[in-house]
């Protein structure tokens, strides 16, 4: 196997690096640049351009010039529909709510366009290394969901690269910086790029970098700042000259370009001039757009957006239960961290200077190259560990959410829980997989569902159905359900449609906090109800299988009627009392039952022919006895009790 290159496939720019002579280094593009604009253009004479030449087409050929394709990766058309006016090229609906990029008369998937950028980087690497390159590590924002990761991987494959691993951008940044880190440190990676903001809290311990928690927003980046400034210019132009430029794609693109240039200039200057000649015509001749803007005015314009990024950081640290003062290193990644206001706000938040030694454009690709070297065993074993952003689990009886993998669990991970049925002889259960922090499953996001069939007939609560969630190194989730008795098994990789966007994740985390108490109360009520139903079932079994004294039988029936009434009222305090009463009744019936069993002479129940006799005492040697034996076992093995009080919902309509 040749070299494994590291690629930062960015929204605005992409970078490729390789590990050589014990160090990762940037590979120059065919144009001799350190970064490649992530832009692909299709010209009038059927030419395909990638990088700088494509970027120059943005103004003259905006409909056929594709930029920010990273924002489209793994997205459904309906998800993106509200944002379509932010793109100067046409995005149309494909089959099954997929999206396609329409340039001239051709349709492309976002993966195909990304593959063109990757191909260019692959070619540059081959030119530099003088040998074929077949494998790559590609980075993605930490909150890229499953379908976005898959799309990135597919893009790599289309470009003829075997994608050895997809790693998170902040993780890559920390890895590249790790040589400078102390053996044990806590770091924050603040990654503010063209399209996204990602903040991660990581711990470095000896050779292990562990992402403890991440948060972010995939719809907040430098592009949004450009749009803010462009919108200001467009609205001022309209106020002054009565011409609305917002419908003129060419004009919008020119303004956006100028806004980005001004933004960058304001990172080093106190003021700058935006000068766009011939923006519109009037009776008095052409109108030019000329605007002087100071850094202070620009900062006021973008302040809210920058504060949003600081709120995300605050939320992250609160969530991870970590004090700002415990953070030893703050790594600033992404081009937008060059904005002085961003640096000031981060500095002010931590009361500490962020690290200035690193190049925010290159560090991610360098980290990816280091991971490539680790994969090939070329460098010491620095292990990379990532976390799941939200809890994952299944819906259980009554609608509760049973967590199997807690939020911020290090991946790869493999966790199981055992559940049971809610009806006698239930042959099928439905596994509904959710992601979120709410205690009620349906308040979370449904990732997928499937049925496990062929469960051996048994009284409710007896079958043991193990549900396993496996998240692999690339963050891809596989759910397996297995009936431990019949060994029936079903395995499902969670489909693309499911997992959450970064902003959804942040929103769900906040909601989880907000509703924590109310949810816990609802969950408690559900669990109490389940407990009452279990007792009712058990007492019913006694009534129908034992010859009870009439007054005991009446007592039981009254208690059951009362229990049904309490369940209907849904009052948790009354449920406690009812559970207690039913428990006592169950205990009494169990001891009565034991006395009956002990008084049966052995020989009467053993011979087969005796079982056919009409002696009522032998009735007990039927299923309920087995059932009670099992119940006793559960009490002795408290670990197995959980499934019974928390059974999976039946697939049958109840
Ligand atoms: P990235 O996604 O990391 O390549 O970052 C690209 C974003 O950084 C774009 O929105 C750029 O406009 C922005 N950017 C690059 N350089 C600067 C700069 N000097 N000042 C402000 N923003 C910048």
């Amino acid at each position: 196997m040749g070299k494994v290159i590291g690629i930062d496939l960015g929204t605005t720019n992409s970078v490729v690096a390789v590990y050589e002579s014990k160090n990762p280094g940037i590979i120059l593009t065919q144009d001799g640049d350190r970064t490649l604009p992530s832009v692909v253009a299709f010209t009038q004479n059927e030419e395909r351009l990638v990088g700088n030449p494509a970027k120059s087409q943005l103004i003259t050929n905006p409909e056929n010039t594709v930029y920010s394709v990273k924002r489209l990766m793994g997205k459904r058309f309906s998800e993106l529909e509200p944002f379509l006016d932010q793109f100067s090229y046409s995005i149309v609906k494909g089959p099954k709510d997929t999206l396609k990029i329409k340039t001239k008369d051709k349709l492309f998937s976002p993966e195909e366009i990304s593959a063109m950028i990757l191909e260019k980087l692959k070619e540059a690497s081959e030119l530099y290394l003088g040998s074929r390159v077949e494998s790559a590590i590609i980075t993605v924002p930490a909150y890229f969901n499953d379908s976005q990761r898959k799309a990135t991987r597919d893009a790599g494959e289309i470009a003829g690269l075997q994608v050895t691993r997809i790693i998170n951008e902040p993780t890559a940044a920390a890895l590249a910086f790790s040589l400078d880190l102390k053996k044990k440190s806590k770091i924050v990676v603040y990654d503010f790029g063209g399209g996204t903001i990602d903040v991660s809290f990581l711990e470095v311990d000896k050779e292990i970098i562990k992402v403890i928690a991440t948060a972010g927003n995939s719809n907040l980046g430098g592009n949004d700042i450009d749009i803010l400034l462009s919108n200001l210019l467009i609205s001022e132009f309209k106020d002054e000259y009565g011409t609305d430029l917002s419908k003129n794609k060419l004009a919008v693109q020119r303004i956006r370009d100028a806004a980005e240039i001004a933004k960058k200039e304001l990172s080093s200057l106190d003021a700058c001039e935006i000068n766009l000649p011939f923006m519109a015509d009037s009776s008095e001749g052409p109108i030019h757009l000329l605007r002087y803007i100071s850094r202070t005015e620009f900062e006021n314009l973008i302040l809210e957006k920058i504060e949003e990024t600081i709120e995300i950081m605050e939320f992250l640290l609160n969530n991870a239960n970590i004090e700002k003062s415990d953070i030893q290193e703050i790594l600033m990644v992404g081009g937008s961290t060059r904005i002085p206001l961003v640096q000031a706000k981060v500095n002010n938040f931590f009361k500490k200077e962020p690290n200035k030694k690193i190049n925010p454009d290159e560090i991610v690709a360098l980290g990816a190259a280091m991971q490539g070297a680790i994969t090939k065993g070329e460098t010491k074993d620095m292990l990379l560990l990532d976390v799941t952003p939200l809890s994952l689990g299944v819906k259980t009886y009554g609608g509760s959410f049973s967590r199997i993998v807690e939020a911020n669990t290090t991946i790869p991970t493999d966790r199981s829980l055992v559940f049971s049925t809610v009806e006698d002889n239930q042959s099928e259960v439905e596994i509904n997989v959710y992601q979120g922090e709410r205690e009620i499953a349906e308040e979370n996001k449904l990732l997928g569902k499937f049925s496990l069939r062929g469960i051996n007939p048994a009284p409710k609560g007896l079958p043991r159905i193990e549900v396993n969630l496996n998240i692999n190194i690339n963050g891809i989730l596989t759910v397996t359900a297995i009936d431990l008795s019949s060994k029936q098994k079903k395995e499902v990789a969670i489909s693309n449609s499911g997992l959450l966007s970064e902003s959804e994740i942040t929103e769900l985390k906040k909601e989880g906090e907000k509703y924590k108490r109310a949810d816990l109360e609802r969950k408690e009520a559900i669990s109490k109800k389940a407990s009452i139903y279990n007792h009712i079932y058990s007492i019913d079994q006694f009534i129908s299988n034992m010859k009870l004294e009439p007054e005991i039988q009446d007592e039981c029936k009254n208690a059951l009627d009362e229990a049904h009434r309490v369940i209907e009222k849904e009052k948790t305090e009354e449920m406690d009392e009812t559970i207690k009463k039913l428990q006592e009744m169950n205990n009494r019936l169990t001891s009565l039952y034991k006395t009956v069993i002990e008084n049966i002479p052995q020989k009467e129940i053993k011979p087969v022919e005796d079982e056919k006799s009409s002696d009522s005492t032998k009735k007990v040697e039927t299923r309920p006895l087995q059932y009670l034996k099992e119940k006793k076992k559960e009490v002795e093995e408290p670990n197995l009790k959980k499934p019974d009080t928390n059974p999976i919902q039946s697939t049958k309509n109840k």
Side-chain angles (χ1 to χ4, degrees):
M1 179 164 81
K3 289 273 181 198
V4 179
I5 53 173
I7 297 177
D8 170 7
L9 185 60
T11 312
T12 330
N13 296 303
S14 295
V15 186
V16 60
V18 71
Y19 190 87
E20 274 186 318
S21 320
K22 299 201 165 131
N23 267 310
I26 299 294
I27 296 176
L28 299 186
T29 66
Q30 289 88 331
D31 301 331
D33 296 322
R34 298 178 79 80
T35 60
L36 175 82
S38 306
V39 187
V40 177
F42 302 89
T43 65
Q44 299 310 322
N45 35 3
E46 305 298 317
E47 225 188 331
R48 191 180 83 187
L49 308 171
V50 182
N52 273 322
K55 202 175 168 188
S56 341
Q57 297 270 318
L58 271 171
I59 293 180
T60 51
N61 183 18
E63 281 98 351
N64 301 309
T65 306
V66 187
Y67 58 90
S68 288
V69 70
K70 188 168 174 177
R71 282 190 144 170
L72 314 183
M73 294 287 275
K75 291 268 171 79
R76 281 164 281 174
F77 180 78
S78 50
E79 270 179 278
L80 215 85
E81 214 171 358
F83 308 102
L84 290 188
D85 60 348
Q86 291 179 8
F87 298 88
S88 59
Y89 51 92
S90 161
I91 297 167
V92 296
K93 192 170 175 173
K96 292 191 187 154
D97 203 23
T98 53
L99 60 86
K100 297 277 177 203
I101 294 151
K102 191 162 183 251
T103 65
K104 295 151 114 306
D105 49 0
K106 279 210 180 108
L107 291 178
F108 294 100
S109 66
E111 290 88 327
E112 284 173 284
I113 300 287
S114 291
M116 294 170 194
I117 300 165
L118 291 171
E119 249 170 56
K120 192 86 180 168
L121 297 171
K122 178 176 181 269
E123 277 168 26
S125 311
E126 288 176 341
L127 208 66
Y128 170 78
L129 292 167
S131 60
R132 273 183 68 103
V133 171
E134 278 158 3
S135 312
I137 305 282
I138 304 180
T139 60
V140 293
Y143 273 77
F144 249 30
N145 67 27
D146 196 37
S147 58
Q148 290 167 299
R149 280 165 202 265
K150 273 195 192 128
T152 308
R153 179 178 286 275
D154 290 348
E157 305 285 331
I158 297 170
L161 286 165
Q162 193 210 335
V163 183
T164 318
R165 240 187 108 170
I166 298 278
I167 63 170
N168 290 335
E169 286 157 10
T171 314
L175 182 62
F177 190 68
S178 59
L179 300 179
D180 283 22
L181 288 171
K182 295 198 186 78
K183 282 270 174 238
K184 210 171 163 68
S185 40
K186 289 184 168 57
I187 57 179
V188 160
V189 177
Y190 175 97
D191 181 352
F192 194 19
T196 58
I197 166 79
D198 264 328
V199 235
S200 310
F201 164 54
L202 303 94
E203 269 179 8
V204 180
D205 191 359
K206 298 193 189 86
E207 262 88 64
I208 296 177
I209 298 174
K210 188 167 165 180
V211 183
I212 305 295
T214 56
N217 183 347
S218 55
N219 283 314
L220 177 55
N223 292 346
D224 300 277
I225 290 173
D226 304 342
I227 291 170
L228 270 184
L229 184 52
S230 310
N231 288 349
L232 174 79
L233 298 174
I234 290 171
S235 90
E236 283 180 352
F237 195 88
K238 191 173 173 201
D239 290 347
E240 201 169 337
Y241 304 108
T243 308
D244 182 6
L245 297 174
S246 66
K247 302 281 173 295
N248 178 340
K249 282 189 175 175
L250 182 69
V252 169
Q253 194 50 53
R254 279 182 71 197
I255 294 176
R256 207 148 303 160
D257 248 26
E260 190 188 3
I261 293 169
K263 171 187 76 174
K264 288 184 182 171
E265 282 181 2
L266 290 171
S267 290
S268 52
L269 303 172
D270 287 335
C272 74
E273 196 181 72
I274 299 161
N275 187 349
L276 291 167
F278 305 102
M279 288 308 286
D281 283 324
S282 77
S283 49
E284 283 131 54
I287 314 173
H288 312 303
L289 191 159
L290 201 70
R291 174 70 150 88
Y292 173 88
I293 183 161
S294 71
R295 189 192 280 178
T296 317
E297 191 186 352
F298 174 69
E299 289 184 344
N300 284 334
L301 182 73
I302 65 168
L303 183 66
E304 222 173 280
K305 292 258 176 244
I306 308 305
E307 276 175 349
E308 247 180 79
T309 71
I310 303 294
E311 274 167 31
I312 292 173
M313 198 146 58
E314 186 143 35
F315 172 75
L316 170 87
L317 294 187
N318 284 343
N319 226 31
N321 224 352
I322 185 101
E323 296 293 326
K324 293 176 203 172
S325 53
D326 291 341
I327 302 296
Q328 280 119 11
E329 219 40 89
I330 305 130
L331 302 188
M332 302 285 272
V333 179
S336 302
T337 60
R338 290 207 167 90
I339 298 174
L341 181 67
V342 171
Q343 293 173 9
K345 286 279 169 195
V346 174
N347 193 332
N348 185 50
F349 178 76
F350 285 104
K351 305 276 179 279
K352 190 184 221 139
E353 266 300 292
N355 193 292
K356 289 260 169 71
K357 275 198 278 177
I358 60 175
N359 179 332
D361 299 327
E362 298 179 355
I363 185 133
V364 170
L366 294 175
M370 280 185 73
Q371 178 61 37
I374 292 168
T375 315
K376 283 201 67 204
E378 287 176 20
T379 181
K380 64 176 181 164
D381 249 1
M382 174 77 70
L383 214 67
L384 278 188
L385 299 167
D386 283 345
V387 294
T388 54
L390 287 168
S391 301
L392 293 154
V394 293
K395 176 157 97 175
T396 51
Y397 179 67
S400 289
F401 176 54
S402 279
R403 283 179 174 72
I404 300 181
V405 177
E406 296 279 342
N408 289 327
T409 299
T410 305
I411 58 167
T413 187
D414 192 81
R415 303 266 167 97
S416 300
L417 261 187
V418 179
F419 299 91
S420 195
T421 49
V422 287
E423 285 177 11
D424 289 340
N425 302 322
Q426 187 177 326
S427 61
E428 180 176 339
V429 286
E430 190 175 89
I431 313 288
N432 293 274
V433 185
Y434 285 86
Q435 184 180 31
E437 295 314 315
R438 301 289 301 271
E439 299 299 330
I440 307 303
E442 273 167 10
E443 306 284 0
N444 293 321
K445 171 102 173 183
L446 179 67
L447 297 184
K449 57 180 171 183
F450 63 94
S451 291
L452 176 70
R453 302 194 172 88
I455 299 168
N456 282 343
K460 68 172 192 164
L462 276 195
R464 291 165 50 72
I465 296 142
E466 187 178 272
V467 179
N468 173 272
L469 299 191
N470 177 290
I471 306 173
N472 75 9
I473 203 86
N474 296 313
I476 306 218
L477 170 68
T478 307
V479 185
T480 313
I482 177 164
D483 172 19
L484 296 175
S485 138
S486 68
K487 302 286 178 230
Q488 284 296 329
K489 180 175 162 181
K490 185 132 186 201
E491 186 177 287
V492 171
I494 288 298
S495 75
N496 291 355
S497 56
L499 295 163
L500 302 170
S501 74
E502 185 175 0
S503 44
E504 274 180 302
I505 288 173
T506 308
E507 207 40 52
L508 279 179
K509 277 185 175 174
K510 282 187 188 157
E511 283 214 345
E513 277 300 307
K514 198 162 112 199
Y515 294 106
K516 210 173 197 167
R517 248 187 88 169
D519 276 0
L520 280 173
E521 278 166 18
R522 273 169 76 189
K523 190 171 183 171
E524 204 185 340
I526 290 169
S527 139
K528 283 179 181 168
K529 258 190 188 171
S531 171
I532 294 178
Y533 276 126
N534 275 342
H535 282 304
I536 292 178
Y537 174 79
S538 166
I539 293 169
D540 260 341
Q541 294 294 324
F542 280 116
I543 297 177
S544 48
N545 291 295
M546 274 176 78
K547 250 195 160 175
L548 294 170
E549 297 292 331
E551 65 269 27
I552 301 185
Q553 191 145 340
D554 284 349
E555 211 183 312
C556 288
K557 283 188 173 154
N558 289 340
L560 295 189
D561 288 346
E562 174 59 20
H564 282 294
R565 268 197 299 276
V566 169
I567 283 184
E568 258 169 45
K569 279 198 275 172
E570 292 212 340
K571 289 222 163 116
T572 22
E573 319 84 67
E574 287 184 41
M575 286 190 201
D576 284 337
E577 190 54 30
T578 309
I579 291 171
K580 215 168 124 200
K581 278 191 196 150
L582 294 176
Q583 178 70 57
E584 280 165 17
M585 180 151 288
N586 246 325
N587 291 348
R588 257 174 72 199
L589 292 171
T590 309
S591 11
L592 250 171
Y593 177 78
K594 274 188 187 156
T595 326
V596 175
I597 294 277
E598 276 155 17
N599 288 334
I600 302 171
Q602 280 299 307
K603 62 177 173 38
E604 276 190 39
I605 53 166
K606 281 243 168 110
V608 178
E609 51 276 23
D610 275 6
E611 290 208 342
K612 287 181 194 149
S613 90
S614 60
D615 187 336
S616 64
T617 53
K618 277 156 220 140
K619 261 195 190 160
V620 293
E621 189 56 29
T622 56
R623 185 171 58 77
L625 175 62
Q626 187 57 31
Y627 172 72
L628 282 174
K629 277 184 188 157
E630 290 289 343
K631 278 266 168 228
K632 188 159 171 284
K633 226 170 97 195
E634 279 163 22
V635 178
E636 286 162 3
E637 295 170 55
N639 284 348
L640 304 184
K641 191 96 179 92
K642 185 165 195 257
D644 259 357
T645 54
N646 209 1
I648 284 174
Q649 269 204 320
S650 158
T651 40
K652 293 171 207 157
N653 284 332
K654 297 177 86 295

